[in-house]
C-alpha cells in the first residue's frame, strides 16, 4: 500500500534499489546530496546534479525537465553516508517562473524497480521559494527510511546548499544554474493540455507500470515490471507497470495520463466545466431480484462510447486484481490455520499418536479444504461475471482497442481523430485463465516501447530458440506499428525505421511494400547516424520553440505529426554518439511528439554496462511471447502479458496498411 506522506512524516523502506519520480508543471532541476551521520555534505563530490549526475548508488537527470526519475541503490552507498536529500530547484537565468508559488505543486514518489509506489509526497504551501528539499532517505540503526521534508529556500540553491553546510555552496549553485542557462542540461516543458472541442475527460486513474525492463503491464506505462502495464509511464488505466516481480531490475507500468501543467487531472469536459460525465445508458434489461445485472458494453461513465469502454476495461482489470487478491489471501489464511492446528496436535505427546491425533489432523485438513473451497467458490462467481462482461465488451471495442481477429477490422476506415488509447496485448492471471483483459495504453504515448527479443522465459516454455524469439519480436513490433498507423488520422503519424544489418527485412515487408514509412529502413552506420541526427535536431528545434513561446514559428513545411522511430537489432550499427542520441530521444522525445520503439536483447548491450540502465528503465517492456513480467499497481500480482499479433494466414494487416497508404496518397500535401 502506498504511504501518502505529509511534511515531517517518515516511512520505512523495505527495498534498497529505488526510483524517485518527480513530476512538476514546469522544467525544474533535480539534484541530490549525500550527508554524513550529522547531515553535513562533505564537499561538491557529495552532490549529484546535471553537471555531475552520477555518484556511487545514485544517478540524477542530466537536464532540467518537467518530470524526473532518480535511481537510488542504498546498498551501494558509501558507509559514511547516512542521508540522501532530494533537491528541486527552478532554473535561474532563463525565462520562466522564479518561485514555486507560481507553478503547480510538485509531487515526488518513491517506487520500487517494479514501479510500485512505496511513498508519495506533494509539496504544497510553497510561495517565494525557488529551491526545496523535497524528501530525504536516512539510515537509522541500520534501517533506511524516507521522510517528507518540504523545506523551501527563497535564496535558491545557494541558500539550500549553505544550510547543508557545504563549503562551496555558492560556487556550486552558480555552476549548476549556468549549465542550465547555457543549455548544457536541456529542459523539457510539460506538454500543453489539449483544449480542442473533441477533447475527452480522462475518467480512469492512470495505471502504475514500471520501467526496467526487466518487466510491467499497463502502463506497468509501469510498473518497472514485476514490470510498472511511468510507466503505467503510457498504459491503460491502472494497468500493471513494467518489471518482473521476481526481477527487480526491470520495470515497465501502465502510463499515467499527463496532468495539465503538472497539476491534478481535470476530468471535466472543456465545454461542460460544470457538468459531470453522463452515466452509462440503460441499454440492459433490469436484473431479476437476487441476480446480478446482465453485463452491458459501455457500462461506465464517459462522454463517448469509446471513453466508457476504456473506463469499463479498466474497471474489469481492477475487479480481477482484487478478486484474485482476496482468493489468494483466503488460501494463505487456510494454510496458516491448518499449520497452526497441526502444530498444536504435534506439540502434545498425548495426542501425537493414536486415534485422537488422527482425528485432529483430519479435522484440520477438512477445515482447510472447506475454507479453500469457499474462497474458490467466491472467485469463480466473480470470474463468471467478469467473463460474461468480457464476452459482451470484446465485440463492441473500437478498432484501437480491438484484437486483430475482431471483425471490426473488416470495416476499417482511416479515422478523423486520434483515439484516447491503444491496445498492446492482453493480460491474465493463472487463476483466471482463459479470461483476458485488454492492455490499453494512453495516446499519445508517454514513454517508448521495448520489444524484448531476448530469452524472457516464456510462460509455457515453448520458445527457446534465440532466432525465433528475434523474429517474433520484430513481427510484434510491426504489428504494433501498423496499429499505431491505423488509429491516427492521415498526416498525423510518421514512422522511421533503423535496421542496421537488414535482419528485419522480412518482417518489415508489409510496411515497406505499402509505402507507409517515411523512407526505406535505414541500414549501416551511416543510415543510423542520419536518422538519429535528424530526429535529435527535431527534438531540439521543437523544445527551443516551446521554451521561447514561439511554437507557431516553426520553419515552413515542418512536419508537425507524431514521429515513431523503430530500431531493430540494437546496438548493432551504433557508436557511442548514436547511443547517446538514442538515450536523448527516449528521454526527451515523447514530450515533443517523438517516440521510440526498440526491438532488442538487453544482453547484446552488456558491453555498455550501467550506462544504458536508464534507457531500459524508461521504456515499457513488452515480449513477443507470453511472459509474466508485469505487475498491477494495487497488490502486485504477476500478470502474464500476451502480445497482440495478427492471426496466422490473415491478410488484415496488409489490408489495413493498404487503406492507410491509399488515404495518404489522396491527402493534399
Amino acid at each position: 500500500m502506498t504511504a501518502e506522506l505529509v511534511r515531517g512524516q517518515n516511512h520505512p523502506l523495505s527495498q534498497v534499489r529505488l526510483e524517485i519520480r518527480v513530476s512538476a508543471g514546469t522544467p525544474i532541476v533535480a539534484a541530490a546530496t549525500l550527508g554524513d551521520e550529522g547531515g553535513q555534505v562533505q564537499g561538491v563530490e557529495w552532490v549529484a546534479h546535471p553537471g555531475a549526475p552520477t555518484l556511487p548508488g545514485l544517478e540524477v537527470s542530466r537536464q532540467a525537465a518537467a518530470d524526473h526519475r532518480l535511481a537510488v541503490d542504498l546498498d551501494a552507498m558509501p558507509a559514511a553516508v547516512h542521508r540522501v536529500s532530494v533537491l528541486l530547484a527552478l532554473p535561474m537565468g532563463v525565462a520562466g517562473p522564479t518561485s514555486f508559488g507560481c507553478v503547480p505543486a510538485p509531487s515526488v514518489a518513491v517506487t520500487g524497480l517494479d514501479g510500485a509506489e512505496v511513498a508519495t509526497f506533494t509539496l504544497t504551501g510553497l510561495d517565494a521559494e525557488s529551491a526545496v528539499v523535497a524528501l530525504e532517505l536516512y539510515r537509522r540503526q541500520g534501517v533506511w527510511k524516507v521522510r517528507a521534508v518540504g523545506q523551501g529556500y527563497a535564496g535558491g540553491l545557494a541558500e539550500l546548499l549553505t544550510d547543508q553546510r557545504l563549503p562551496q555552496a555558492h560556487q556550486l549553485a552558480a555552476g549548476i544554474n549556468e549549465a542550465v542557462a547555457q543549455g548544457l542540461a536541456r529542459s523539457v516543458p510539460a506538454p500543453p493540455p489539449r483544449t480542442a472541442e473533441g477533447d475527452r475527460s480522462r475518467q480512469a486513474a492512470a495505471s502504475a507500470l514500471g520501467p526496467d525492463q526487466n518487466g510491467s503491464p499497463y502502463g506497468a506505462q509501469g510498473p518497472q515490471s514485476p514490470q510498472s502495464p511511468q510507466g503505467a509511464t503510457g498504459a491503460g488505466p491502472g494497468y500493471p507497470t513494467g518489471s518482473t516481480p521476481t526481477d527487480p531490475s526491470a520495470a515497465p507500468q501502465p502510463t499515467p495520463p499527463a496532468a495539465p501543467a503538472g497539476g491534478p487531472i481535470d476530468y471535466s469536459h472543456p465545454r461542460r466545466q460544470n457538468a459531470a460525465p453522463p452515466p452509462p445508458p440503460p441499454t440492459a434489461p433490469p436484473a431479476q431480484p437476487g441476480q446480478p445485472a446482465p453485463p452491458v458494453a459501455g457500462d461506465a461513465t464517459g462522454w463517448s462510447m469509446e471513453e466508457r469502454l476504456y473506463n469499463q476495461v479498466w474497471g474489469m482489470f481492477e475487479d480481477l486484481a482484487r478478486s484474485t487478491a482476496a482468493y489468494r489471501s483466503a488460501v494463505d489464511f487456510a494454510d496458516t490455520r491448518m499449520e497452526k492446528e497441526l502444530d498444536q496436535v504435534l506439540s502434545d505427546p498425548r495426542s501425537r499418536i493414536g486415534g485422537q491425533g488422527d482425528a485432529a489432523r483430519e479435522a484440520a485438513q477438512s477445515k482447510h479444504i472447506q475454507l479453500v473451497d469457499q474462497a474458490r467458490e467466491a472467485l469463480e462467481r466473480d470470474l463468471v461475471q467478469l467473463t460474461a462482461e468480457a464476452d459482451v465488451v470484446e465485440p463492441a471495442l473500437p478498432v484501437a482497442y480491438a484484437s486483430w481477429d475482431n471483425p471490426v477490422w473488416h470495416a476499417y476506415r482511416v479515422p478523423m481523430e486520434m483515439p484516447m488509447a491503444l491496445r498492446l496485448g492482453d493480460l491474465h492471471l493463472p487463476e483466471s485463465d482463459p479470461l483476458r483483459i485488454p492492455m490499453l495504453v494512453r495516446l499519445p504515448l508517454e514513454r517508448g516501447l521495448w520489444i524484448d527479443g531476448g530469452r524472457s522465459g516464456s510462460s509455457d516454455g515453448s520458445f527457446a530458440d534465440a532466432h525465433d524469439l528475434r523474429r517474433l519480436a520484430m513481427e510484434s513490433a510491426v504489428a504494433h506499428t501498423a496499429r499505431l498507423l491505423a488509429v491516427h488520422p492521415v498526416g498525423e503519424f510518421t514512422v522511421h525505421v533503423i535496421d542496421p544489418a537488414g535482419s528485419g527485412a522480412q518482417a518489415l515487408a508489409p510496411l515497406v511494400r505499402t509505402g507507409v514509412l517515411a523512407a526505406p529502413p535505414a541500414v549501416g552506420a551511416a543510415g543510423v547516424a542520419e536518422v538519429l541526427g535528424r530526429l535529435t535536431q527535431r527534438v531540439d528545434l521543437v523544445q527551443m520553440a516551446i521554451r521561447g513561446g514561439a511554437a507557431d514559428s516553426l520553419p515552413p513545411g515542418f512536419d508537425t505529426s507524431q514521429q515513431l522511430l523503430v530500431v531493430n537489432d540494437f546496438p548493432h550499427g551504433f557508436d557511442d554518439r548514436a547511443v547517446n542520441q538514442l538515450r536523448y530521444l527516449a528521454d526527451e522525445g515523447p514530450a515533443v511528439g517523438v517516440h521510440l520503439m526498440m526491438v532488442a536483447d538487453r544482453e547484446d548491450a552488456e558491453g555498455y554496462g550501467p550506462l544504458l540502465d536508464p534507457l531500459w528503465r524508461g521504456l515499457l517492456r513488452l515480449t513477443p511471447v507470453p511472459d509474466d513480467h508485469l505487475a498491477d499497481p494495487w497488490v502486485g500480482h504477476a500478470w502474464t502479458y500476451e502480445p497482440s499479433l495478427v492471426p496466422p494466414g490473415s491478410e488484415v494487416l496488409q489490408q489495413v496498411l493498404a487503406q492507410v497508404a491509399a488515404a495518404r496518397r489522396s491527402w493534399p500535401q
Side-chain angles (χ1 to χ4, degrees):
M1 179 179 294
T2 304
E4 297 182 359
L5 305 180
V6 297
R7 189 173 276 105
Q9 185 179 0
N10 60 34
H11 185 74
L13 296 173
S14 58
Q15 306 177 53
V16 294
R17 297 185 65 191
L18 304 166
E19 193 170 72
I20 299 174
R21 301 181 180 183
V22 180
S23 178
T26 188
I28 60 174
V29 178
T33 59
L34 306 180
D36 58 20
E37 196 166 8
Q40 180 175 357
V41 181
Q42 296 294 325
V44 293
E45 67 277 4
W46 279 32
V47 182
H49 56 85
T54 57
L55 294 176
L58 179 63
E59 180 179 5
V60 303
S61 302
R62 288 171 164 77
Q63 65 279 323
D67 298 286
H68 292 270
R69 293 187 179 189
L70 286 63
V72 180
D73 186 348
L74 297 175
D75 274 351
M77 292 289 172
V81 173
H82 288 261
R83 183 175 302 175
V84 181
S85 300
V86 177
L87 321 178
L88 307 179
L90 292 167
M92 297 291 105
V94 296
T98 58
S99 68
F100 280 107
C102 303
V103 300
S107 63
V108 184
V110 179
T111 75
L113 290 184
D114 60 359
E117 291 185 345
V118 178
T120 62
F121 175 44
T122 301
L123 286 79
T124 58
L126 298 177
D127 187 10
E129 298 88 344
S130 59
V132 61
V133 179
L135 53 78
E136 63 181 12
L137 313 178
Y138 64 96
R139 178 161 45 190
R140 182 73 51 81
Q141 296 179 345
V143 178
W144 284 94
K145 297 183 179 182
V146 57
R147 176 187 291 122
V149 180
Q151 176 62 53
Y153 297 84
L157 275 174
E159 183 181 354
L160 186 157
L161 295 172
T162 300
D163 193 45
Q164 296 200 347
R165 292 173 283 171
L166 177 66
Q168 306 91 340
H170 287 269
Q171 297 92 319
L172 179 59
I176 295 174
N177 289 327
E178 182 181 359
V180 174
Q182 292 179 352
L184 297 181
R186 295 181 174 89
S187 63
V188 182
R194 293 184 295 179
T195 57
E197 173 74 22
D199 194 14
R200 304 174 178 83
S201 63
R202 304 309 194 204
Q203 289 293 332
S207 23
L209 271 160
D212 182 265
Q213 315 287 260
N214 290 1
S216 176
Y218 264 101
Q221 234 113 33
Q224 240 186 5
S225 304
Q227 268 189 168
S228 244
Q230 210 250 156
T233 20
Y239 286 95
T241 52
S243 217
T244 308
T246 55
D247 184 358
S249 64
Q253 298 53 160
T255 299
I265 300 173
D266 182 3
Y267 291 122
S268 58
H269 191 283
R271 300 301 180 98
R272 301 184 180 93
Q273 295 293 341
N274 297 322
T283 58
Q288 298 298 322
Q291 298 294 325
V296 179
D299 187 15
T301 58
W303 292 109
S304 66
M305 175 57 77
E306 179 191 5
E307 185 175 11
R308 291 197 293 269
L309 287 168
Y310 176 83
N311 293 337
Q312 186 173 14
V313 169
W314 176 79
M316 293 166 59
F317 174 76
E318 182 175 4
D319 288 347
L320 181 55
R322 298 195 185 281
S323 294
T324 305
Y327 168 73
R328 293 180 179 180
S329 177
V331 172
D332 288 342
F333 170 77
D335 292 342
T336 303
R337 178 189 177 115
M338 183 177 69
E339 290 176 3
K340 182 178 180 180
E341 291 176 348
L342 292 178
D343 287 343
Q344 291 176 347
V345 172
L346 295 176
S347 65
D348 187 352
R350 293 171 298 178
S351 61
R352 195 173 301 163
I353 57 176
Q356 183 179 356
D358 292 341
R361 281 188 286 270
E362 290 179 2
Q365 293 169 352
S366 176
K367 185 62 175 177
H368 175 269
I369 294 173
Q370 179 185 356
L371 292 174
V372 172
D373 287 346
Q374 290 176 351
R376 187 69 204 186
E377 181 181 354
L379 176 63
E380 290 292 345
R381 185 171 59 248
D382 291 342
L383 290 179
V384 167
Q385 181 71 10
L386 285 171
T387 301
E389 187 173 8
D391 291 342
V392 172
V393 169
E394 186 70 38
L397 294 177
V399 163
Y401 303 174
S403 60
W404 283 109
D405 58 0
N406 193 312
V408 71
W409 285 103
H410 297 297
Y412 169 76
R413 294 293 182 272
V414 178
M416 297 301 294
E417 64 176 12
M418 182 180 69
M420 67 185 301
L422 181 84
R423 185 173 188 156
L424 290 181
D426 297 318
L427 299 170
H428 69 91
L429 292 169
E431 294 88 347
S432 66
D433 199 52
L435 176 61
R436 301 293 190 268
I437 305 295
M439 176 178 168
L440 305 180
V441 177
R442 298 298 291 267
L443 291 179
L445 295 173
E446 296 178 3
R447 61 189 299 191
L449 304 178
W450 167 29
I451 316 299
D452 188 357
R455 296 179 182 271
S456 57
S458 168
S459 58
D460 58 8
S462 57
F463 292 96
D465 184 79
H467 177 73
D468 284 344
L469 285 173
R470 291 176 186 269
R471 174 181 57 81
L472 288 170
M474 197 59 204
E475 291 177 356
S476 178
V478 169
H480 293 317
T481 302
R483 185 183 289 267
L484 282 163
L485 283 165
V487 303
H488 281 82
V490 178
E492 293 192 14
F493 198 79
T494 303
V495 178
H496 312 266
V497 176
I498 290 178
D499 187 19
S503 59
Q506 182 177 355
L508 290 167
L511 300 176
V512 176
R513 282 199 305 263
T514 53
V516 294
L517 299 179
V523 297
V528 172
E530 192 276 331
V531 174
L532 290 177
R534 179 157 35 87
L535 291 178
T536 300
Q537 185 180 35
R538 175 192 177 88
V539 172
D540 289 340
L541 183 62
V542 176
Q543 282 189 352
M544 287 189 293
I546 294 176
R547 285 201 301 267
D552 295 332
S553 302
L554 292 168
F558 185 84
D559 182 7
T560 58
S561 66
Q562 298 280 313
Q563 308 285 311
L564 174 68
L565 173 60
V566 181
V567 178
N568 182 37
D569 222 9
F570 176 81
H572 300 297
F574 283 72
D575 56 18
D576 290 345
R577 175 181 174 83
V579 169
N580 288 332
Q581 288 177 320
L582 190 70
R583 287 189 57 188
Y584 175 65
L585 291 177
D587 291 341
E588 310 285 26
V592 292
V594 178
H595 311 285
L596 180 63
M597 181 187 296
M598 289 183 56
V599 183
D601 180 355
R602 188 169 182 173
E603 292 184 0
D604 291 343
E606 280 185 339
Y608 289 94
L611 174 68
L612 292 181
D613 285 352
L615 174 64
W616 305 117
R617 286 198 301 264
L619 301 174
L620 171 61
R621 177 178 177 250
L622 304 175
T623 54
V625 295
D627 187 63
D628 58 351
H629 67 286
L630 299 179
D632 66 73
W634 302 288
V635 291
H637 291 322
W639 291 76
T640 297
Y641 165 78
E642 293 183 0
S644 180
L645 299 176
V646 179
S650 173
E651 296 294 325
V652 62
L653 187 140
Q654 288 82 353
Q655 293 171 1
V656 168
L657 290 178
Q659 288 201 42
V660 172
R664 291 188 173 192
R665 288 191 296 268
S666 62
W667 190 260
Q669 299 297 323

